[in-house]
Amino acid sequence: MRLMWKSMDKMRCFRKRSMLPFLGFLITFLLFFNLYMDDGYVLEAEKRQLGETLMHPANSERYVHTFRDLSNFSGTINVTYRYLAGIPLPRKKYLTIGLSSVKRKKGNYLLETIKSIFDQSSYEELKEIVVVVHLADFDLVWCENLVQEITRKFAHHIIAGRLLVIHTPEEYYPSLDGLKRNYNDPEDRVRFRSKQNVDYAFLLNFCTNLSHFYMMLEDDVRCSRNFLTALKKVITSREGSYWVMLEFSKLGYIGKLYHSRDLPRLAHFLLMFYQEMPCDWLLIHFRGLLAQKDVIRFKPSLFQHMGYYSSYKGAENKLKDDDFEEDSIDIPDNPPANLYTNINVFENYDATKAYSSIVDEYFWGKPPCTGDFFVIIFNKSVKISRIKIVTGTDDRQNDVLHHGALEVGQKSVETKQGRQCTSYITLGEFKGGNIEVDNVDHKIGFDIECVRIVVTASQKEWLIIRTVSLWTTQPVPDLLNHHLHPGVHPDSFNRSLPFTQCFQEVGFGPNILTFLCGE
């Protein structure tokens, strides 16, 4: 394929000057047209930067080749992958976790990362995930040796369809020579980050149809316990709202969650702009182009960077996420609900902000009066085990609820002001601006339809409701099944299986999704 590209370059040489401006204009027009058709609007600054990228004269012909190869989009990128271990199951899982790994000059953390993913997941969680490892190094001997180690350590997960190891042949990669020297990066640094973008693009492309959601990790990460349960709680709490990327770590390309339906577009995006900038910068542009303007990041972080040596030249990398917690299962459930208040809201600090677990979001209202309320009405009645409400912030410690009560209600009816509960029971009074009530389901005899905060005395200070956290009662699991070992026990696996029997190839069809033009 590389020879074909070089041949076509020579054929175009004599007409290069006349064709490049026209092709650059055509590419820019098609890209912007697709963006407007798909999303209605995009950020002007980001459109301008991407337009300048496409019009760059020194590399426009390279983009012509890239765009030509992606011009008949209606599905995935036409790449033939090699299966080094495992095969996909026909049933879609809930979550795919993607890792891309290359040979490091110092240290190798991939096996520890895979182990952390599986060890920190319960049996029920393991049934809903699939881990895809893309060994993206061109050294096939290294790939073979590493996959043999992976097979020995994680044989039962491979047999159960929870772990796949793949490789993309070098022939499918675009040129990694003569790349643009953006940001004054040295040539080897540009080559490293450009190849990494392509590595991720091929990984995303492969994972498109494996699950409903996709999580990107790096190959030197430690996971929090029961991270999937925490993810599901957050996803459930975002039902009905638009998002492109949710973040569960503030570092690099760690803990970034997507809908699987967006993976083809993201793969094409990374491939088209692979030499422009590092992948974590490209992600910001991609998110903005799909009309998610702001970062949506959750605390505590579910993933921690553990590698000491970088995959680039073995340089030291001591970055740590100080929001990471090893045990993050205590994330609240916050079932879907509508929120109402008659307290005067300041700017855009509306009631829904207090119900979100997004960093730095909260409700902020002007001084409340006796009888004012803040009410949560669930889409359907729920059993609640615990309620915790925090008011005020570290910066505004006086903007707390000085006098208030927490109530739960039932028997909701439709009124002119919307659905409301007709019967309430008081659970307790606020103390120091906060309240926490445990064993709620044991203290009341009904499923809860509403949770209400009532102001019991007027105050001069404004009111910040920082967080409203609710934990629902989960059904008791089947203890017998819970203690069964997931998949096939490793002792039953024949570890003498030759490497060549795990080495298969699969070809994807030529259909490729139209870049940023909808599904």
Side-chain angles (χ1 to χ4, degrees):
M1 183 171 289
R2 188 172 293 174
L3 292 174
M4 181 182 72
W5 284 0
K6 290 181 179 179
S7 174
M8 295 182 71
D9 285 342
K10 293 180 179 179
M11 294 175 62
R12 291 189 176 87
C13 194
F14 74 96
R15 51 181 180 179
K16 187 174 182 181
R17 292 184 179 178
S18 60
M19 288 296 294
L20 284 180
F22 171 76
L23 290 173
F25 172 81
L26 178 61
I27 293 169
T28 306
F29 172 79
L30 290 173
L31 177 61
F32 289 169
F33 178 77
N34 289 341
L35 291 174
Y36 276 106
M37 291 296 291
D38 188 50
D39 299 301
Y41 69 94
V42 293
L43 301 179
E44 291 298 327
E46 293 179 359
K47 287 195 300 180
R48 192 178 306 114
Q49 179 168 352
L50 291 177
E52 291 170 356
T53 295
L54 287 172
M55 294 297 290
H56 196 284
N59 290 273
S60 56
E61 188 167 13
R62 188 188 311 279
Y63 285 113
V64 169
H65 297 322
T66 304
F67 194 84
R68 183 201 64 228
D69 292 339
L70 304 178
S71 60
N72 294 317
F73 306 157
S74 60
T76 51
I77 299 170
N78 188 17
V79 176
T80 299
Y81 296 90
R82 293 188 178 122
Y83 281 177
L84 305 186
I87 57 174
L89 296 178
R91 182 181 68 85
K92 272 192 175 184
K93 298 294 187 75
Y94 184 83
L95 178 71
T96 298
I97 300 170
L99 309 169
S100 183
S101 187
V102 295
K103 181 168 57 177
R104 295 171 180 257
K105 291 190 175 181
K106 293 183 180 179
N108 191 311
Y109 311 97
L110 176 61
L111 296 177
E112 295 177 60
T113 300
I114 298 172
K115 185 176 187 297
S116 179
I117 293 171
F118 292 136
D119 285 356
Q120 297 291 62
S121 302
S122 68
Y123 170 69
E124 293 300 323
E125 290 170 328
L126 286 175
K127 293 192 295 185
E128 299 188 73
I129 66 174
V130 57
V131 179
V132 178
V133 178
H134 182 208
L135 297 185
D137 204 281
F138 297 150
D139 184 342
L140 297 182
V141 174
W142 175 83
C143 291
E144 180 172 343
N145 291 336
L146 184 54
V147 82
Q148 287 178 349
E149 286 190 64
I150 293 172
T151 301
R152 282 194 296 269
K153 290 180 179 293
F154 306 105
H156 57 297
H157 293 297
I158 293 173
I159 293 174
R162 283 190 291 271
L163 176 60
L164 307 175
V165 185
I166 63 170
H167 175 77
T168 308
E170 184 177 1
E171 64 203 58
Y172 289 99
Y173 279 72
S175 175
L176 297 174
D177 297 320
L179 302 174
K180 292 169 61 176
R181 296 277 297 277
N182 291 345
Y183 317 110
N184 292 320
D185 281 347
E187 186 175 344
D188 58 346
R189 175 67 183 177
V190 173
R191 178 185 174 91
F192 172 83
R193 61 173 170 79
S194 297
K195 179 183 178 297
Q196 188 177 56
N197 286 334
V198 182
D199 296 341
Y200 283 134
F202 288 148
L203 173 60
L204 293 164
N205 179 67
F206 178 85
C207 295
T208 296
N209 295 313
L210 299 181
S211 62
H212 300 289
F213 298 96
Y214 175 87
M215 170 68 70
M216 177 62 79
L217 295 183
E218 294 180 4
D219 63 350
D220 54 354
V221 169
R222 187 170 83 252
C223 306
S224 67
R225 186 169 292 110
N226 300 112
F227 64 89
L228 178 62
T229 298
L231 283 175
K232 293 181 73 172
K233 287 183 178 181
V234 170
I235 292 171
T236 300
S237 72
R238 301 291 298 181
E239 284 182 0
S241 65
Y242 177 77
W243 58 271
V244 176
M245 179 174 71
L246 304 182
E247 302 186 22
F248 295 88
S249 171
K250 61 184 179 183
L251 300 179
Y253 207 171
I254 298 173
K256 306 303 187 278
L257 182 75
Y258 302 91
H259 297 279
S260 291
R261 63 174 180 261
D262 287 331
L263 296 187
R265 285 186 285 187
L266 180 53
H268 290 311
F269 187 82
L270 290 175
L271 191 59
M272 182 169 287
F273 302 106
Y274 74 103
Q275 65 171 313
E276 298 302 328
M277 61 187 70
C279 58
D280 44 344
W281 295 7
L282 283 173
L283 298 182
I284 298 172
H285 290 286
F286 180 79
R287 168 173 55 77
L289 287 167
L290 293 188
Q292 180 189 318
K293 179 181 178 181
D294 300 319
V295 173
I296 304 177
R297 184 168 70 83
F298 297 85
K299 295 174 64 175
S301 296
L302 302 180
F303 307 97
Q304 177 65 285
H305 178 260
M306 67 175 176
Y308 184 78
Y309 295 106
S310 169
S311 54
Y312 172 63
K313 283 191 167 183
E316 292 186 2
N317 184 356
K318 300 179 181 179
L319 286 176
K320 296 294 179 184
D321 189 334
D322 52 13
D323 292 327
F324 173 75
E325 291 184 10
E326 189 81 28
D327 294 297
S328 60
I329 191 62
D330 202 33
I331 290 179
D333 300 295
N334 285 19
N338 294 311
L339 286 82
Y340 306 97
T341 183
N342 64 345
I343 302 171
N344 290 326
V345 179
F346 174 63
E347 293 185 350
N348 63 338
Y349 294 87
D350 58 79
T352 60
K353 300 294 177 65
Y355 201 58
S356 168
S357 55
I358 301 175
V359 179
D360 298 331
E361 289 201 339
Y362 49 81
F363 166 80
W364 199 2
K366 297 180 180 180
C369 302
T370 303
D372 283 351
F373 61 84
F374 182 104
V375 62
I376 304 163
I377 303 178
F378 302 115
N379 293 354
K380 59 182 180 180
S381 60
V382 293
K383 292 183 181 295
I384 295 178
S385 59
R386 178 182 167 203
I387 301 176
K388 180 180 180 180
I389 298 173
V390 178
T391 67
T393 64
D394 293 338
D395 296 334
R396 297 185 175 273
Q397 298 182 12
N398 289 329
D399 289 1
V400 299
L401 182 56
H402 296 280
H403 303 282
L406 174 64
E407 302 175 338
V408 293
Q410 62 174 333
K411 299 179 180 177
S412 63
V413 296
E414 292 293 338
T415 69
K416 292 182 179 179
Q417 290 75 36
R419 194 158 56 89
Q420 297 182 6
C421 286
T422 59
S423 174
Y424 282 94
I425 292 178
T426 301
L427 290 180
E429 302 288 330
F430 280 76
K431 295 180 180 179
N434 304 325
I435 189 170
E436 184 170 0
V437 182
D438 292 319
N439 300 315
V440 176
D441 51 327
H442 296 157
K443 295 176 180 178
I444 61 173
F446 56 84
D447 290 351
I448 296 173
E449 297 181 61
C450 306
V451 172
R452 184 169 69 178
I453 300 168
V454 178
V455 179
T456 54
S458 300
Q459 61 185 59
K460 296 180 180 179
E461 296 80 10
W462 288 32
L463 172 62
I464 290 176
I465 301 180
R466 186 174 179 180
T467 57
V468 176
S469 302
L470 309 174
W471 287 263
T472 59
T473 302
Q474 301 295 331
V476 178
D478 185 332
L479 296 180
L480 178 61
N481 288 335
H482 183 72
H483 286 92
L484 288 176
H485 199 289
V488 180
H489 195 277
D491 292 341
S492 66
F493 178 71
N494 180 7
R495 294 182 178 177
S496 63
L497 187 67
F499 169 78
T500 53
Q501 291 186 24
C502 294
F503 200 83
Q504 304 174 35
E505 292 188 0
V506 60
F508 285 108
N511 294 332
I512 301 175
L513 181 70
T514 304
F515 176 59
L516 292 175
C517 264
E519 299 174 28

